[in-house]
Amino acid sequence: MNGELIWVLVLLAGCVAMFVANRPRADVVALLVLILLPLSGVITVPEALAGFSDPNVLLIAALFVIGAGLVRTGVSHHVGDWLIRKAGKSEKRLLVLLMLSVSALGAFMSSTGVVAVFIPVVLSITRHLRISPSRLMMPLSFAGLISGMLTLVATAPNMVVDSTLKHAGRPGFSFFSFTPIGLVVLAMGIGYMLVARRWLGGKTEATQKTGRRGLTHLIQEYHLETHGRRLRILPGSPLDGHQLKAVSMRADYGCNVVAVDRKTGFRRQLFNPGANMVLQAGDILLVDVSAAEALEKMEADLKLQSQPLSGHYFMQHSREVGMAEVLVPPESALIGKSIIQATFRRKYGLTVVGLRRSGKALQGSVLDEKLKLGDVILVVGPWTSIRKLQSQVQDFIVLSLPADVEEVAPAASQAFYAVLCLAIMVTLMVTGLVPNVLAAFIACLLMGAFGCVTMDTAYKSIHWQSLVLIVGMMPFARALEITGGVDLAVQGLSQLTGGAGPRVLIGSLFVLTAGIGLFISNTATAVLMAPIALSMASHLGLSPYPFAMTVAIAASCSFMTPVSSPVNTLVLGPGQYRFGDFVKVGVPFTLLVLLVTVLLVPLLFPLKGS
């Protein structure tokens, strides 16, 4: 063992220790590696910085932008809504559906890409269900890694091993050669995560660190749980064909129209109800009304039909309709005026539905209340109108917006184009017409052209900490190769397993491959280990296929640390994990995969074959 190898191993051990201690930040540790390895002369500066031009790193950056486009257009929220609808309130069912969905997509496209796209989906789901993101982020990454074991094209190590077989004059694997083992590992992984999720954080999400309340809190504080109604305009209604201002719904029934749900083409769309808006039969009015008697009279007089309302108030429309609290400051022109006189709807396109005075919400109709200094008004309406309020500082002060504003899709009308861009990217990746990184770049440009993302949101969406961490750890692969660290590990394996049976050799090969994969990329691991596996098989007079399959599966078993795979690195921040979380969850599961490999590979790929 030479001095340079000792230095690399000491530096590697130091990095692992800092990762475990979580001091300093992981990306800072990666930057230290980029500095120390070339300064020590083990590798050159271009070799240390080569990761910044690595196609996979650029691919990950592009996929962050794709994910942002899906969020801004509301596509990710719709996927989350579908998962929630199918799972109900069952976290177990949600976990199963999530892992199945991610694995199915990852079997045909980049697992890193799938995980990057699903991160905002999972964050949206956890906010909706009020559970900790840590309980779903690691199952997400595990499903992404397992998807690499399902098909030949699912991950680069599979294709590396297949190419090695062909170069050795052997037929390669078929497209679904990996599927039987992958399905077993997937089923085992789902069952394992149903148990292991208990080690990943509390069941309910901690109080939001920002201190911001959500719409649910505002609805409860202002006693609006029973005020929301959805009323369909029936044919022959006095409202049909008339402007909204023609009927005095506020004066006659104490009713405020918050929004109008109208069918346009093949979908329904919410509109802000201006006074001159012409209503139509079939429109659904979202109204705020406090008196049940007035509601019954209004339905009879105006020929309105009550429609189901999911959840309290208008939570089912929370991505279009929002709320905000407005404070009446000193010297405001609103002081002494009633809500009606303040003409909030005419000026700002918003409806006042609540009033809090001296810290207590007033109940019943507040339309005739004279405003006083320090009053807090609750307004409801389109999120776009609420955001515009923040620029109005003369007569009131907008308090912090509800946390739900983060789930608003500012480019919801471009959802079709976002899906189209994603489909184009997936098609290009699956068919191999262009390299994956170019497919992602094409999708990014199309996202920008269609208005799914802006330049500012594109740059802000990239998680630079994850990229720096990935790039910073890449030089270890080159350093270990140059200093003979990999060769030393292989020689140790040969000496350790001398004279052992084939299954022991397969198990040892798995352990060595997975171990090397902790420190270098899974693709590099496969490149190094595939020729060794075939040489071992040839030396023993056994079929090369079980050994090649073992290398491919072990290379995908990057479950044990957050830096062993970009998939894990991506969820490290959103899941708020520590290095040790991956160790305590990933090590037992890797041992289970080892057991499955030793048992199933010789059965599916006979050792005595040609």
Side-chain angles (χ1 to χ4, degrees):
M1 184 179 294
N2 58 63
E4 286 187 336
L5 177 56
I6 294 175
W7 159 243
V8 171
L9 294 177
V10 168
L11 182 58
L12 184 59
C15 290
V16 172
M18 286 186 282
F19 285 142
V20 173
N22 203 33
R23 292 290 186 277
R25 269 179 26 165
D27 53 333
V28 176
V29 176
L31 288 173
L32 289 174
V33 173
L34 288 178
I35 295 171
L36 294 175
L37 281 177
L39 279 181
S40 63
V42 176
I43 59 176
T44 64
V45 172
E47 287 174 327
L49 301 179
F52 286 104
S53 62
D54 186 276
N56 289 323
V57 174
L58 299 177
L59 172 62
I60 293 170
L63 291 171
F64 277 120
V65 178
I66 300 297
L70 296 177
V71 172
R72 293 188 80 250
T73 56
V75 174
S76 64
H77 297 313
H78 290 309
V79 175
D81 291 342
W82 177 82
L83 286 173
I84 291 172
R85 283 197 305 272
K86 295 298 182 182
K89 294 184 178 180
S90 171
E91 186 183 335
K92 293 181 180 179
R93 194 178 302 123
L94 176 61
L95 184 146
V96 172
L97 288 173
L98 175 66
M99 293 189 71
L100 288 175
S101 301
V102 172
S103 298
L105 286 174
F108 301 97
M109 62 176 289
S110 164
S111 58
T112 305
V114 174
V115 171
V117 168
F118 264 82
I119 283 175
V121 175
V122 172
L123 288 175
S124 174
I125 291 173
T126 55
R127 282 193 294 266
H128 182 85
L129 297 181
R130 303 190 68 187
I131 61 177
S132 172
S134 63
R135 295 178 65 88
L136 290 179
M137 281 296 172
M138 198 174 293
L140 169 63
S141 68
F142 273 41
L145 292 170
I146 293 172
S147 70
M149 306 178 192
L150 291 174
T151 64
L152 175 63
V153 300
T155 188
N158 294 356
M159 292 181 278
V160 167
V161 171
D162 180 70
S163 176
T164 304
L165 283 170
K166 292 177 179 177
H167 281 124
R170 303 271 184 170
F173 289 116
S174 68
F175 190 86
F176 293 108
S177 292
F178 297 81
T179 307
I181 296 176
L183 289 176
V184 173
V185 175
L186 176 59
M188 183 176 65
I190 292 173
Y192 177 78
M193 291 309 304
L194 288 173
V195 177
R197 65 195 172 96
R198 301 172 184 173
W199 308 336
L200 298 176
K203 185 171 184 179
T204 51
E205 187 178 14
T207 303
Q208 294 179 13
K209 295 180 180 180
T210 59
R212 293 164 60 185
R213 295 168 296 164
L215 293 178
T216 303
H217 298 93
L218 294 175
I219 291 170
Q220 293 172 348
E221 288 179 13
Y222 286 86
H223 312 291
L224 300 177
E225 293 93 335
T226 60
H227 285 206
R229 292 289 189 276
R230 297 176 75 246
L231 304 174
R232 181 185 295 275
I233 300 176
L234 299 176
S237 167
L239 299 178
D240 185 11
H242 291 82
Q243 293 180 333
L244 181 59
K245 66 181 180 182
V247 181
S248 304
M249 299 178 69
R250 175 182 288 178
D252 296 342
Y253 307 103
C255 170
N256 287 306
V257 180
V258 173
V260 177
D261 184 356
R262 174 174 293 173
K263 186 175 183 180
T264 55
F266 296 101
R267 65 190 183 98
R268 300 197 68 88
Q269 185 176 351
L270 285 188
F271 292 90
N272 197 17
N276 297 322
M277 183 179 187
V278 178
L279 301 175
Q280 305 171 3
D283 286 350
I284 297 178
L285 306 180
L286 275 60
V287 302
D288 176 278
V289 57
S290 57
E293 301 80 7
L295 175 65
E296 294 177 2
K297 187 175 187 305
M298 183 174 65
E299 288 180 351
D301 294 347
L302 303 181
K303 291 188 178 180
L304 302 174
Q305 184 183 60
S306 181
Q307 300 294 301
L309 184 66
S310 175
H312 294 311
Y313 209 59
F314 303 120
M315 285 299 295
Q316 71 185 82
H317 300 289
S318 62
R319 296 199 181 109
E320 296 91 9
V321 177
M323 293 180 177
E325 289 185 305
V326 175
L327 175 67
V328 179
E331 301 180 0
S332 169
L334 298 178
I335 295 176
K337 293 183 178 180
S338 68
I339 300 296
I340 294 178
Q341 292 170 335
T343 61
F344 248 84
R345 171 171 294 285
R346 182 173 60 83
K347 290 182 179 178
Y348 310 112
L350 297 167
T351 302
V352 177
V353 295
L355 177 64
R356 184 153 54 90
R357 179 170 292 159
S358 301
K360 183 178 180 181
L362 305 184
Q363 299 192 40
S365 177
V366 297
L367 299 179
D368 296 320
E369 285 288 333
K370 301 291 184 180
L371 295 176
K372 299 180 180 180
L373 170 64
D375 281 352
V376 176
I377 306 167
L378 182 67
V379 296
V380 61
W383 283 111
T384 52
S385 298
I386 289 175
R387 286 190 179 278
K388 290 178 182 177
L389 276 185
Q390 293 178 302
S391 62
Q392 305 291 332
V393 296
Q394 293 88 354
D395 295 326
F396 52 80
I397 299 172
V398 178
L399 304 182
S400 61
L401 298 181
D404 306 70
V405 72
E406 296 175 0
E407 295 192 16
V408 177
S413 60
Q414 306 303 105
F416 169 79
Y417 298 106
V419 175
L420 177 63
C421 295
L422 180 64
I424 291 173
M425 182 186 75
V426 173
T427 301
L428 292 174
M429 287 181 172
V430 171
T431 58
L433 293 175
V434 298
N436 287 349
V437 64
L438 294 185
F441 281 168
I442 290 170
C444 286
L445 290 175
L446 290 175
M447 284 271 191
F450 289 127
C452 303
V453 294
T454 64
M455 291 299 292
D456 287 340
T457 56
Y459 283 113
K460 290 178 181 178
S461 68
I462 298 174
H463 198 274
W464 297 104
Q465 180 181 351
S466 298
L467 293 184
V468 171
L469 176 58
I470 294 168
V471 169
M473 296 306 293
M474 281 184 169
F476 270 123
R478 180 63 178 157
L480 288 170
E481 183 181 357
I482 291 175
T483 57
V486 175
D487 293 336
L488 184 64
V490 173
Q491 292 171 9
L493 174 65
S494 301
Q495 295 174 2
L496 184 66
T497 59
R503 288 184 185 270
V504 175
L505 285 174
I506 287 176
S508 302
L509 182 63
F510 182 102
V511 171
L512 178 59
T513 304
I516 293 176
L518 292 176
F519 310 111
I520 64 177
S521 73
N522 56 2
T523 304
T525 301
V527 170
L528 292 170
M529 294 302 301
I532 295 170
L534 268 60
S535 296
M536 289 176 62
S538 176
H539 178 73
L540 296 171
L542 300 174
S543 169
Y545 292 100
F547 293 88
M549 179 61 68
T550 298
V551 169
I553 294 172
S556 292
C557 284
S558 304
F559 304 106
M560 293 183 281
T561 74
V563 296
S564 54
S565 168
V567 171
N568 292 348
T569 308
L570 288 178
V571 303
L572 182 64
Q576 299 177 3
Y577 296 124
R578 297 172 64 89
F579 190 94
D581 293 323
F582 283 89
V583 175
K584 69 181 179 183
V585 176
V587 170
F589 186 67
T590 302
L591 294 176
L592 290 175
V593 178
L594 167 62
L595 180 63
V596 168
T597 303
V598 172
L599 292 176
L600 288 186
V601 166
L603 295 178
L604 297 172
F605 303 92
L607 290 164
K608 297 297 183 182
S610 59

